[in-house]
Amino acid sequence: MNKILSKTYFSEKVVKLEVEAPLIAKARKPGNFVIVRVGEKGERMPLTIADANLERGSITLVVQVMGVSSRKLCALEAGDYITDLVGPLGKPTHIEKVGTVLACGGGVGVAPLLPIVRAFKEAGNRVISVIAGRNKDLVILEDEIRASSDEVIIMTDDGSYGKKGLITEGMEEVIKREKVDLAVTIGPAIMMKFCEKLTRKYDIPTVASLNALMVDGTGMCGACRVTVGGKTRFTCVDGPEFDAHLIDFDEILSRLGGFKDAEVAKLHDVEVKQEESEHTHGVSDRNEPWRQELRQKVAGKERTSIERVHMPETAPEERIKSQRIEVNQGLTADMAMREATRCMDCVTPTCMEGCPVGIDIPGFVKNIERGEFLQAAAVLKRTSALPAVCGRVCPQEKQCESKCFYLQKLKKPSVAIGYLERFASDFERESGHITVPEVAHANGIKVAVIGSGPSGLSCAGDLAKLGYDVTVFEALHEIGGVLKYGIPEFRLPNSVVDVEIENLKKIGVKFVTNFIVGMTDSVEDLKAEGFKAFYVASGAGLPRFMNIPGENYNGILSSNEYLTRVNLMGADSEDSDTPVYRGKNVVVVGGGNTAMDSVRTAKRLGAERAMIVYRRSEEEMPARLEEVKHAKEEGCEFITLTNPVEYIADERGRVKQVRVQKMALGEPDASGRRSPVPMEGSEYTIDADVVVVAVGVSPNPIVPNSVKGLEISRKGTIVVNDETMQSNLSEFFAGGDIVRGGATVILAMGDGRRAAKHIDEMFKAN
């Protein structure tokens, strides 16, 4: 897969590649695009599909060398493989018989225009194509365009071929002599802007393709946002084609230059290189002899007199030097055993009531107390697919630890359950003696899990242990979902996530990357391949913005985009092809864990001032107390009871200031937190050259909208039975953010476990 079958040069910097991609070739429609990545540190690059050959199982891409990533792609030869290729993406062009269609393409924009020209011709339209280039060498696919056009006009800036002049001159020649019912324009943004101005003058409906704006291709980062008809739209989800008369082209032109300096600097010195049992287990028996012996060994009064352990941490001045230095360093064996001794081994372990995945907390903690660390890890893995992850990022203070006997009855700090969970998991990993949970005999039933975040991985792990044939489909090129793209390595190292994923592979879970269910293949296609049930865990990857003036200036981005560029694509590293905005004064809007991750990342990227701007007080912040503490230690500033109302840009369209307004706390809202109320006359400005918006996410609509008849809520979440996680379609289950709209890792995992249990019950009942 992804093998380059042939390569043709149109010019020194424009190349046509035929790439092996049978699933994409089968599913693609005119207007669809793919995301391409070359090399393990390559940037995700959107390219519209120019053609497809079903017999050869291939697609055609036309690439122009513009930056580092396109240069690397163009350097590949026939027989080489593209690292990642995902698609088809985007809404296809709406094709119908309208009369006369004026198809206008400039430069490499002629390539995505080709399948649209063919489709309109096949629908019975008269098609007149105007194609343009700066010179003869940059006029591409002329023969293919002529084969599907009633007339072709060629324009070149220098007159070296066809007629001399701009594409709009060729367009106006047609418009003046005959009625045009629809215009389609694809090419550089500046070209499309003037094409739109011309067709507006003659009142001609016009469609423009904005594929040049796209970054991720799945809607998760929000970098492709564009103003259409006064509203923010996402090019890769809502487009890439829009009514040209409603597009703010000036804003687009400004945004397209956002990373120009970074690209130029990278190109300056780049060298192009080829890169080569049981489903659930309740609490264990506290009356086992060894447990009784432990309780008798240390008196209760002695246990409760032990102070809670303090997690060793890397010093702030050291850890802010790199995104890859983990803050919490983990407990030593002596520290872990002493902390485990605090556990009273309660007759009724209320701590378990607070755990969404039902971990046998006393069972693993008491094994740590007696020094059986590997056994403690084995107990954890009976019910948790990701114990090393949960030990780091689960908000135990709001879950299991909040129900601990110490806190409930003694009003003392709880047992450090999360620290102990991490210790046991890390000990097993570092020992090299990693156990594989018991797996039931294979039952031959195929289940598809859509999304490889914590919810999907949890469901997949439980189903595999029950004997199901499980395949996890992931849209990105890395497995892990939010664990990889959303959580920085200073909190959760990728190496830890990778080991957890390898453990799932060992019990039979299969993974397919660069595969978007509903686009690469439909659910019906997967059913035809034998999949009998589906668990949708595609997350809530569509970022929210505040819709305030200036929000689309350069230098303003969603936390999804910011963290994905750094965490997944390694933009903090000098050898990464992916750029990221670095600023002297960085403002992060929001007060949750994602905001903390963003502001702490900004500090590590060199910000002199990294500021949280939050509309409520610090007490109302939903972020973990530990994350707030770490952010303050690292020099991050907290500006609370303050809300942005406008962004101000410099003459280049780059944000330079945030206009904010002070807030006061009013009455509690539905969340129980006091609502912020604006204070009249309190506005002032904060200097900022980068702004990260971390005010929440919405469900990604691609998967829900691709399943006919699936019940979707007003907010775009999938509606399920809270007990079974089953949707209105019996074979469809869902959980995590796509159901909740926003959830912690552990809540998402709990949904996955619950769904797996009821998927199993469904098949056994039949």
Side-chain angles (χ1 to χ4, degrees):
M1 299 287 281
N2 304 352
K3 182 180 180 180
I4 297 176
L5 302 178
S6 66
K7 177 180 180 180
T8 305
Y9 283 92
F10 288 122
S11 68
E12 182 183 355
K13 290 191 174 184
V14 180
V15 174
K16 181 173 78 170
L17 301 174
E18 184 186 6
V19 183
E20 181 185 31
L23 290 176
I24 299 175
K26 181 181 71 171
R28 71 98 201 189
K29 292 181 173 61
N32 284 156
F33 64 95
V34 293
I35 291 291
V36 175
R37 193 172 71 101
V38 180
E40 292 306 320
K41 295 186 178 180
E43 185 176 13
R44 293 169 69 86
M45 179 171 47
L47 295 171
T48 303
I49 303 168
D51 204 354
N53 187 316
L54 288 177
E55 290 184 6
R56 287 170 62 83
S58 66
I59 61 172
T60 298
L61 305 174
V62 175
V63 191
Q64 181 177 12
V65 175
M66 299 289 288
V68 176
S69 299
S70 54
R71 174 177 288 187
K72 286 185 175 181
L73 179 58
C74 289
L76 298 179
E77 300 294 339
D80 290 337
Y81 288 82
I82 294 172
T83 310
D84 290 296
L85 180 68
V86 58
L89 297 165
K91 290 184 177 179
T93 305
H94 178 67
I95 304 293
E96 62 178 335
K97 186 173 181 180
V98 295
T100 298
V101 177
L102 184 59
C104 313
V108 292
V110 175
L113 187 69
L114 175 59
I116 295 172
V117 166
R118 284 176 176 163
F120 273 115
K121 186 61 183 173
E122 289 169 2
N125 294 284
R126 170 172 166 78
V127 179
I128 303 172
S129 298
V130 182
I131 59 177
R134 288 196 301 273
N135 53 52
K136 181 180 180 179
D137 291 339
L138 294 178
V139 175
I140 65 172
L141 299 173
E142 178 187 351
D143 292 342
E144 291 87 343
I145 291 288
R146 286 190 184 280
S148 297
S149 303
D150 294 279
E151 180 185 353
V152 175
I153 297 173
I154 297 175
M155 307 295 298
T156 53
D157 292 359
D158 62 0
S160 56
Y161 189 55
K163 299 179 180 181
K164 184 177 181 179
L166 301 175
I167 192 169
T168 47
E169 295 175 61
M171 292 172 63
E172 195 161 23
E173 174 187 324
V174 175
I175 293 169
K176 283 183 174 180
R177 73 167 192 239
E178 62 183 281
K179 181 178 182 292
V180 173
D181 298 288
L182 176 70
V184 179
T185 175
I186 307 179
I190 189 67
M191 181 206 89
M192 292 191 289
K193 174 181 176 178
F194 284 99
C195 289
E196 184 275 330
K197 287 183 72 173
L198 175 66
T199 57
R200 179 189 293 270
K201 172 182 170 183
Y202 291 98
D203 198 25
I204 298 171
T206 304
V207 172
S209 178
L210 305 182
N211 60 333
L213 279 184
M214 296 180 292
V215 174
D216 166 74
T218 66
M220 61 169 279
C221 74
C224 64
R225 64 191 188 277
V226 60
T227 300
V228 180
K231 296 182 179 180
T232 295
R233 294 286 183 258
F234 297 96
T235 303
C236 55
V237 173
D238 302 315
E241 294 175 2
F242 297 97
D243 182 339
H245 299 317
L246 300 179
I247 296 171
D248 186 338
F249 280 105
D250 290 333
E251 177 186 272
I252 289 172
L253 289 166
S254 174
R255 288 179 61 75
L256 285 173
F259 286 115
K260 183 177 180 181
D261 291 344
E263 278 288 309
V264 170
K266 189 75 179 179
L267 274 170
H268 180 69
D269 59 1
V270 69
E271 291 182 321
V272 179
K273 301 176 182 177
Q274 283 192 290
E275 305 179 55
E276 317 226 289
S277 139
E278 278 291 306
H279 171 60
T280 58
H281 292 259
V283 64
S284 52
D285 185 2
R286 72 186 295 274
N287 291 318
E288 289 184 78
W290 68 269
R291 293 270 284 271
Q292 293 187 46
E293 186 179 335
L294 279 180
R295 289 197 299 274
Q296 293 166 4
K297 187 176 178 181
V298 182
K301 187 175 181 180
E302 185 179 346
R303 291 180 187 276
T304 59
S305 67
I306 300 172
E307 290 189 7
R308 176 177 162 124
V309 70
H310 291 282
M311 172 64 74
E313 299 176 354
T314 307
E317 61 272 15
E318 285 300 315
R319 68 198 194 214
I320 64 169
K321 292 178 181 178
S322 170
Q323 191 79 356
R324 318 294 161 185
I325 298 175
E326 192 171 7
V327 177
N328 288 345
Q329 292 299 294
L331 305 181
T332 65
D334 287 343
M335 294 167 73
M337 291 175 70
R338 182 172 174 81
E339 181 63 21
T341 303
R342 295 182 67 223
C343 175
M344 300 296 287
D345 202 2
C346 302
V347 175
T348 303
T350 52
C351 54
M352 289 184 62
E353 296 173 8
C355 178
V357 297
I359 288 173
D360 178 6
I361 295 170
F364 93 81
V365 171
K366 291 292 111 177
N367 269 298
I368 292 176
E369 182 182 344
R370 67 170 176 159
E372 292 289 346
F373 305 144
L374 292 176
Q375 183 59 33
V379 172
L380 281 166
K381 288 162 76 172
R382 289 176 191 164
T383 51
S384 176
L386 309 167
V389 170
C390 290
R392 286 169 165 82
V393 302
C394 176
Q396 292 92 3
E397 67 277 7
K398 296 179 181 178
Q399 306 277 3
C400 54
E401 292 181 10
S402 72
K403 303 291 185 181
C404 177
F405 165 81
Y406 277 82
L407 203 61
Q408 296 280 324
K409 301 295 184 182
L410 303 181
K411 308 304 178 188
K412 289 185 175 183
S414 67
V415 173
I417 299 168
Y419 293 172
L420 294 175
E421 182 179 17
R422 169 184 168 156
F423 169 79
S425 303
D426 286 358
F427 182 90
E428 182 193 50
R429 183 180 70 255
E430 292 162 7
S431 73
H433 301 289
I434 298 177
T435 60
V436 177
E438 186 178 340
V439 176
H441 183 72
N443 59 26
I445 300 173
K446 295 176 71 173
V447 179
V449 174
I450 302 169
S452 71
S455 194
L457 295 178
S458 181
C459 184
D462 277 12
L463 286 171
K465 284 187 280 187
L466 288 163
Y468 290 87
D469 182 358
V470 185
T471 301
V472 178
F473 295 96
E474 169 56 46
L476 295 174
H477 59 276
E478 287 268 6
I479 300 298
V482 71
L483 304 177
K484 283 286 186 72
Y485 74 75
I487 303 177
E489 289 205 66
F490 56 74
R491 282 214 293 140
L492 178 63
N494 285 343
S495 59
V496 171
V497 181
D498 289 337
V499 170
E500 305 277 50
I501 292 167
E502 283 303 313
N503 290 340
L504 290 173
K505 290 179 179 178
K506 288 176 182 177
I507 62 172
V509 178
K510 297 188 280 288
F511 293 94
V512 179
T513 56
N514 296 318
F515 192 108
I516 299 178
V517 175
M519 300 297 288
T520 307
D521 247 353
S522 69
V523 167
E524 294 305 315
D525 292 328
L526 294 178
K527 286 181 179 179
E529 292 176 23
F531 287 95
K532 303 297 184 185
F534 300 82
Y535 180 64
V536 183
S538 51
L542 205 62
R544 292 181 192 152
F545 289 89
M546 297 173 65
N547 294 318
I548 60 176
E551 199 164 35
N552 287 343
Y553 286 137
N554 284 322
I556 302 173
L557 61 169
S558 71
S559 54
N560 263 18
E561 178 185 358
Y562 188 60
L563 293 175
T564 299
R565 285 180 177 275
V566 177
N567 299 340
L568 183 66
M569 306 306 296
D572 58 309
S573 172
E574 290 185 2
D575 61 355
S576 172
D577 293 346
T578 302
V580 68
Y581 284 116
R582 297 172 186 257
K584 178 180 177 182
N585 300 306
V586 179
V587 164
V588 176
V589 183
N593 288 327
T594 303
M596 296 305 134
D597 289 340
S598 299
V599 77
R600 296 172 68 194
T601 293
K603 201 69 179 173
R604 286 159 173 80
L605 292 179
E608 293 181 14
R609 292 188 72 195
M611 298 162 273
I612 286 285
V613 171
Y614 180 57
R615 60 182 185 153
R616 289 185 167 99
S617 70
E618 188 174 319
E619 288 70 31
E620 277 81 25
M621 276 187 177
R624 296 185 68 186
L625 294 177
E626 183 179 61
E627 302 309 318
V628 174
K629 167 184 171 290
H630 287 162
K632 288 183 175 179
E633 289 173 348
E634 292 163 8
C636 300
E637 301 176 40
F638 284 68
I639 304 172
T640 57
L641 290 170
T642 303
N643 206 36
V645 293
E646 182 186 6
Y647 297 109
I648 302 166
D650 61 20
E651 65 281 355
R652 297 180 298 114
R654 172 74 179 260
V655 66
K656 66 175 183 178
Q657 287 182 320
V658 184
R659 187 179 302 282
V660 298
Q661 184 176 37
K662 291 184 178 180
M663 313 292 280
L665 291 180
E667 295 300 314
D669 62 13
S671 71
R673 294 178 296 170
R674 294 173 65 190
S675 300
V677 179
M679 296 175 63
E680 294 296 327
S682 63
E683 294 183 6
Y684 66 101
T685 58
I686 300 172
D687 290 341
D689 43 8
V690 174
V691 176
V692 180
V693 182
V695 295
V697 289
S698 300
N700 195 308
I702 292 178
V703 176
N705 289 349
S706 72
V707 182
K708 188 176 181 180
L710 186 64
E711 185 179 356
I712 309 297
S713 75
R714 180 177 54 82
K715 294 182 178 179
T717 56
I718 296 176
V719 177
V720 299
N721 179 300
D722 291 341
E723 296 299 318
T724 65
M725 311 310 294
Q726 190 172 31
S727 74
N728 64 309
L729 304 180
S730 60
E731 72 273 29
F732 272 88
F733 295 73
D737 288 355
I738 194 65
V739 167
R740 296 175 178 270
T744 61
V745 167
I746 196 69
L747 284 174
M749 289 177 63
D751 290 349
R753 294 206 71 220
R754 198 153 53 251
K757 176 177 183 290
H758 288 94
I759 289 171
D760 183 49
E761 290 178 356
M762 177 182 73
F763 284 115
K764 285 179 176 176
N766 296 328

